Amino acid sequence: MMKFLKRFYLGLILVFLYVPIGVLIVQSFNAGKSRVKWEGFSLRWYEELFHDARIMNALYVTVSIALLAMIAATILGTLAAIGIYSMKKRPQALMMTLTNLPNTMPDIVTGISLMLLFLFTKVERGYITMLLAHIAFDTPYVILSVLPKLKQMNKHTYEAALDLGATPAYAITHVIIPECKQGIITGAMLAFTLSIDDFTISYFTTSPLIQNLSTLIYSAARKGIEPSLNALSALMFIALLILLLIVNHRTAESK
Amino acid sequence: MIEQEHLIDLKNISKDFDGTTVLKNINLYVRKKEFVTLLGPSGCGKTTTLRIIGGFEYPSEGTVYFEGKDITNLPPYKRRVNTVFQKYALFPHLNVRDNIAFGLKIAKVPRDEINKRVDRMLDLVNLSGYGKRKVDQLSGGQQQRIAIARALVNEPEVLLLDEPLGALDLKLRKEMQLELKSMQQRLGITFIYVTHDQEEALTMSDTVVVMRDGHILQIGDPKRIYDEPANAFVADFIGESNIMRGIMVRDELVHFSGYDFPCVDSGFGEGVPVDVVVRPEDIMLVGEDIGQISGVVKSVLFKGVHYEMMIDVGETTLKVHSTVMQPQGSRVGINIVPYNIHIMKPMVKEASANV
């Protein structure tokens, strides 16, 4: 009985979590426009999706920003992590607090403060500002995935490289970075996922002319949701699911 | 002329870390092909001294010379020394072969020669055929050998070793001691070795440098350090010993444990307080009536090769090592030949503490 209750409870949670997404995916294959009536299986909305220039453009913005932000944040975050690692104890603790703080801040606060910053500095909002914002919120996550890898290293690893004739630059590129490669890749994937996922910060840091998928869906939803957006959401869900599975798998493996 | 054969010279080296002094005015030279050991308890500054020679720390004061040239501010990658680090610090992302080849690749040695030299090194450390292994698949002893090979393949003038055997078990440690020593002699490379293990230091070194609290207490060959320790600390740290307070009656006669013992030291003055060292194996147990002094056996411990007996002689208790056991509670006579009594000036610190 107890066992049944446990399973039932777990099942209930999964139902709550995944039924809405399931409905969305099923609906994306619905031939008709209705959201309550099943009118037969069709890939119509997927076809329409790929012919909708607005959506395709938003997809391009989303993916390109995610990629660029990932690259920039990975470089910045990795170098920052190496810097923090080589600090003495007290400044290191201070830097870690400063790094963790933005992660704990609600997205809306980050979004609004970035918007205010861009307004104040009279930078016109658009693609570049959205990219900068994404780099800003991605970087701490890269630091947080690289730093533990550095701390796992033998503390003399860097010195050993210097001892064998490596200049500091060579030691970092040929020893330190390969040693924490796992952390860097995990951090990069995390950054990519978070960037694709983001709505709030993007919303405040872009102009209505440059839309990524999330802001586009948000503005479209106000006029009533096109079924092609169901298809889009279904695709996004699948893509993020795959990415998250990879990230989780990597994290589990490295422990 | 003598200066020229010095490979490394440390002149007036001091080092502070955030206001704490860890080295005070260290002066030390190392000759070519010498095996020098820096020996002392933890916190004595031996590792810091080694790191200054390696270039990982810069002294707060003083100068480091290499073949007469000032290298005090030269970064590690420009020094002709290589280091075997504590816990080895191998590169886990490279296999054994690439670990050893790391320095040669940087030096842009041709690939053929790299292969040849790496093979020779693997051979030297008895790990031929391990080249493709990952380093974390190796045992501690094997990793240790790889670390040595990785340093030696660069043919350094000096090899620095920071407690390289500390993580190995006793038997392996003994084997590696002999291996290291024979390697050093075969290759003719200068070794500077850091350890807190006095036996290791005595076994391997040409010269032992005993350190404490950032000072050098004594420099000498192992036999001299053992037989003629400069003060009570060295005597106590190196091997087992009986250290007693005594008074120099006159030259070649010293009073301790209630008796005037003939000895061979002179020049301390008359009626001067001194520290007296007698090694436990140098005390002879004889019949009760024919000893210089006598005492009661308080305890007996079997130590394998010998028995360790504590003998109460009234003023003090002497530790005695002998292959012949005297039963607990028995009275024995004690003889010490003059040559085995070593007289030292009392340590300044302790002398003033006693006043």
Side-chain angles (χ1 to χ4, degrees):
Chain A
M1 187 62 195
M2 206 45 205
K3 207 173 172 187
F4 169 76
L5 274 179
K6 274 186 194 166
R7 291 226 171 132
F8 180 74
Y9 183 61
L10 183 67
L12 210 60
I13 290 176
L14 288 175
V15 164
F16 271 116
L17 282 176
Y18 285 99
V19 160
I21 296 167
V23 169
L24 173 88
I25 293 175
V26 170
Q27 278 291 345
S28 71
F29 294 108
N30 191 347
K33 234 183 168 179
S34 165
R35 255 163 266 149
V36 283
K37 215 168 91 198
W38 180 254
E39 292 170 34
F41 180 85
S42 154
L43 289 173
R44 176 185 158 200
W45 303 117
Y46 283 88
E47 222 181 296
E48 242 176 58
L49 171 67
F50 288 105
H51 287 114
D52 187 329
R54 246 176 3 131
I55 292 179
M56 281 299 109
N57 195 37
L59 181 68
Y60 164 74
V61 170
T62 303
V63 174
S64 66
I65 284 201
L67 278 175
L68 290 175
M70 174 188 84
I71 294 167
T74 304
I75 295 170
L76 272 176
T78 303
L79 293 179
I82 293 172
I84 292 170
Y85 168 69
S86 51
M87 281 176 165
K88 285 185 181 167
K89 247 193 186 148
R90 269 219 206 138
Q92 191 180 63
L94 180 69
M95 275 312 298
M96 282 318 293
T97 314
L98 289 177
T99 307
N100 286 326
L101 205 56
N103 293 351
T104 55
M105 224 148 45
D107 280 355
I108 189 123
V109 176
T110 313
I112 289 177
S113 49
L114 281 165
M115 178 184 77
L116 288 176
L117 174 74
F118 293 135
L119 286 174
F120 183 70
T121 53
K122 299 207 167 53
V123 178
E124 203 178 319
R125 277 175 298 153
Y127 188 87
I128 298 291
T129 49
M130 203 198 321
L131 176 60
L132 288 175
H134 280 227
I135 295 172
F137 76 73
D138 276 348
T139 305
Y141 288 97
V142 177
I143 297 178
L144 287 180
S145 7
V146 176
L147 203 60
K149 288 280 151 202
L150 290 167
K151 289 194 169 166
Q152 277 170 24
M153 276 185 337
N154 181 307
K155 61 178 177 166
H156 295 303
T157 303
Y158 173 69
E159 289 178 352
L162 294 191
D163 185 72
L164 294 164
T167 59
Y170 188 94
I172 286 174
T173 53
H174 286 71
V175 175
I176 303 297
I177 287 178
E179 288 292 315
C180 49
K181 198 174 73 193
Q182 299 302 323
I184 296 174
I185 294 173
T186 307
M189 292 174 87
L190 203 58
F192 185 76
T193 316
L194 288 168
S195 178
I196 292 221
D197 209 28
D198 175 70
F199 163 72
T200 319
I201 296 171
S202 305
Y203 182 75
F204 284 105
T205 53
T206 186
S207 76
L209 295 176
I210 305 287
Q211 299 258 316
N212 68 4
L213 286 173
S214 58
T215 59
L216 181 77
I217 293 171
Y218 179 72
S219 52
R222 285 192 294 193
K223 292 181 242 150
I225 295 212
E226 288 278 313
S228 56
L229 288 178
N230 290 345
L232 175 67
S233 307
L235 288 179
M236 281 175 74
F237 169 74
I238 301 288
L240 283 178
L241 183 70
I242 292 171
L243 251 165
L244 270 178
L245 284 178
I246 297 175
V247 169
N248 282 350
H249 179 68
R250 295 185 67 88
T251 331
E253 219 171 44
S254 65
K255 266 174 193 166
Chain B
M1 272 314 276
I2 294 162
E3 285 280 316
Q4 267 177 7
E5 68 173 63
H6 293 183
L7 192 57
I8 291 174
D9 263 287
L10 301 183
K11 291 262 199 252
N12 310 314
I13 298 285
S14 297
K15 178 70 183 174
D16 299 324
F17 283 120
D18 301 327
T20 325
T21 306
V22 290
L23 288 180
K24 269 177 237 160
N25 202 28
I26 296 288
N27 283 289
L28 177 68
Y29 65 83
V30 177
R31 289 194 220 90
K32 257 196 164 92
K33 300 185 182 181
E34 196 174 7
F35 195 128
V36 177
T37 298
L38 306 178
L39 174 69
S42 57
C44 72
K46 56 193 191 298
T47 295
T48 306
T49 307
L50 194 79
R51 290 172 59 79
I52 285 173
I53 298 172
F56 306 113
E57 305 282 355
Y58 296 111
S60 313
E61 274 168 58
T63 320
V64 184
Y65 294 98
F66 189 88
E67 290 182 329
K69 268 178 244 137
D70 182 350
I71 59 157
T72 314
N73 294 310
L74 207 63
Y77 49 93
K78 290 187 178 163
R79 298 191 183 201
R80 278 148 59 205
V81 301
N82 283 116
T83 310
V84 176
F85 289 90
Q86 243 173 28
K87 313 237 174 80
Y88 329 132
L90 296 171
F91 307 134
H93 71 286
L94 300 176
N95 66 20
V96 166
R97 173 167 282 277
D98 290 337
N99 261 282
I100 300 178
F102 189 86
L104 298 177
K105 278 186 186 152
I106 291 172
K108 303 223 158 56
V109 175
R111 184 172 298 183
D112 288 356
E113 204 195 323
I114 291 183
N115 285 335
K116 235 183 278 167
R117 276 163 74 174
V118 171
D119 284 336
R120 215 186 308 145
M121 272 304 139
L122 282 170
D123 209 35
L124 181 80
V125 297
N126 287 325
L127 286 174
S128 316
Y130 281 73
K132 295 275 178 244
R133 300 270 187 109
K134 293 186 90 179
V135 290
D136 44 19
Q137 292 169 343
L138 302 180
S139 70
Q142 290 168 332
Q143 291 190 24
Q144 170 59 254
R145 288 154 196 265
I146 300 301
I148 292 166
R150 183 180 68 173
L152 282 180
V153 77
N154 305 291
E155 293 170 0
E157 290 279 345
V158 183
L159 189 67
L160 308 178
L161 303 103
D162 187 5
E163 308 230 10
L165 308 182
L168 305 181
D169 63 58
L170 184 66
K171 190 161 177 294
L172 197 55
R173 197 154 74 219
K174 299 254 179 198
E175 282 169 26
M176 283 301 291
Q177 285 173 13
L178 296 177
E179 247 179 87
L180 274 176
K181 179 70 186 166
S182 83
M183 230 183 263
Q184 186 256 344
Q185 284 168 336
R186 256 184 301 156
L187 300 171
I189 294 179
T190 309
F191 274 35
I192 303 179
Y193 193 99
V194 162
T195 184
H196 62 266
D197 182 334
Q198 47 93 12
E199 196 192 324
E200 200 164 283
L202 297 181
T203 312
M204 302 167 77
S205 324
D206 300 318
T207 304
V208 178
V209 179
V210 187
M211 296 182 69
R212 183 203 192 187
D213 297 338
H215 292 280
I216 291 178
L217 295 183
Q218 190 173 6
I219 303 177
D221 64 71
K223 186 155 172 51
R224 196 181 166 86
I225 297 266
Y226 188 83
D227 289 342
E228 293 165 49
N231 55 43
F233 177 81
V234 177
D236 192 39
F237 195 72
I238 309 282
E240 292 186 77
S241 50
N242 297 291
I243 302 170
M244 295 147 287
R245 300 198 174 285
I247 288 178
M248 209 64 195
V249 181
R250 55 180 146 82
D251 280 357
E252 300 180 7
L253 194 67
V254 61
H255 178 90
F256 64 93
S257 299
Y259 186 79
D260 290 346
F261 287 91
C263 62
V264 293
D265 296 87
S266 56
F268 287 88
E270 289 183 12
V272 178
V274 289
D275 281 344
V276 182
V277 173
V278 182
R279 298 288 180 188
E281 66 272 22
D282 290 336
I283 296 177
M284 289 184 298
L285 297 183
V286 294
E288 190 189 338
D289 317 322
I290 53 174
Q292 288 164 311
I293 52 174
S294 68
V296 180
V297 179
K298 270 173 44 183
S299 67
V300 182
L301 273 178
F302 179 57
K303 289 275 196 173
V305 181
H306 57 74
Y307 293 91
E308 178 173 297
M309 288 162 277
M310 303 302 290
I311 313 236
D312 184 357
V313 294
E315 259 180 52
T316 50
T317 303
L318 294 176
K319 185 189 280 179
V320 179
H321 289 171
S322 168
T323 49
V324 182
M325 200 263 285
Q326 304 292 337
Q328 194 169 340
S330 61
R331 280 201 78 87
V332 289
I334 285 172
N335 273 342
I336 308 170
V337 298
Y339 181 79
N340 287 329
I341 296 172
H342 177 63
I343 313 282
M344 305 172 301
K345 275 187 190 158
M347 282 185 76
V348 181
K349 230 182 192 171
E350 292 185 359
S352 60
N354 267 348
V355 168

